[in-house]
Amino acid sequence: MSKPLPPAGQQWAKPIYDHETVVYRMEEAGRTLLSLPNAGCLPSGYRAFWPQGAEVAAEVWGYGSDEMIRPPAPSSRAIGRMDEAMRWVALISPDKRVIRRIVLMRALVNPRNERHIWSLRKIGKALGCDHKAVQRWHDQGIDWICQALYGQQLAGADWAVNWRFDRDLPGEL
């Protein structure tokens, strides 16, 4: 990917989001998405209020339970960052649906063990192509997002103007 040259006699600002930062934010968004509670469409769901008896003594102490331990529910700030990062996929051209799909699939990271839900090989198998091509397309999609964000930054988008203020807050990238 070649960088465009600045107009004569002008210096362009350094990009706020580079390739690694966009990948980090997309994976953080996928982690947040998978951390959200998804217990059904009803607020309380269906349940019985009688305690369930333990079948075996080991289950009494929690050793035999097959239930997955849920990660803590994300904060409202994390959900806002997730929404922002997931909107970036729309910056990829609409006719590049496969690349959009690859970027979204690769963003899903398990919040408990920090591993990708979709490896490059699994994505390649699902799409019927080589994993090296999937890696190349993913990098290309991230680069398109970076270019679009840089264009917005140079145009003075609101998020770029407020970025410095938000960055000074603790826990921000």
Side-chain angles (χ1 to χ4, degrees):
M1 175 182 87
S2 63
K3 267 190 169 176
L5 296 174
Q10 293 183 356
Q11 198 70 327
W12 280 359
K14 183 179 177 192
I16 292 174
Y17 292 112
D18 60 350
H19 187 91
E20 292 79 22
T21 308
V22 170
V23 169
Y24 174 80
R25 287 286 307 274
M26 291 297 294
E27 290 176 357
E28 178 190 36
R31 197 176 300 114
T32 303
L33 181 66
L34 293 176
S35 295
L36 289 171
N38 58 353
C41 59
L42 297 175
S44 62
Y46 297 108
R47 60 182 171 201
F49 291 99
W50 283 95
Q52 186 173 353
E55 301 278 331
V56 193
E59 287 184 9
V60 173
W61 299 102
Y63 295 118
S65 176
D66 290 336
E67 275 189 44
M68 302 285 245
I69 299 173
R70 292 228 25 104
S75 66
S76 61
R77 188 159 188 81
I79 293 172
R81 288 170 55 87
M82 175 195 71
D83 289 338
E84 178 189 10
M86 288 298 183
R87 278 193 302 265
W88 292 347
V89 178
L91 298 174
I92 300 173
S93 178
D95 61 329
K96 307 291 185 190
R97 288 186 301 271
V98 173
I99 294 179
R100 283 182 174 196
R101 185 175 176 193
I102 289 171
V103 169
L104 287 172
M105 290 168 82
R106 193 68 179 150
L108 294 176
V109 175
N110 189 330
R112 284 173 303 177
N113 61 11
E114 301 295 322
R115 294 178 62 187
H116 288 278
I117 301 292
W118 289 89
S119 68
L120 294 172
R121 291 187 187 272
K122 280 173 71 176
I123 295 172
K125 189 174 182 181
L127 298 177
C129 58
D130 185 41
H131 69 279
K132 291 289 186 182
V134 170
Q135 182 178 17
R136 197 170 48 250
W137 291 335
H138 177 263
D139 290 341
Q140 190 177 26
I142 296 295
D143 287 340
W144 285 338
I145 291 172
C146 290
Q147 284 181 350
L149 289 174
Y150 189 46
Q152 290 179 5
Q153 175 187 345
L154 292 177
D158 291 338
W159 67 264
V161 173
N162 297 330
W163 180 79
R164 178 60 61 191
F165 173 75
D166 291 341
R167 186 171 179 193
D168 292 337
L169 296 174
E172 290 298 316
L173 178 66

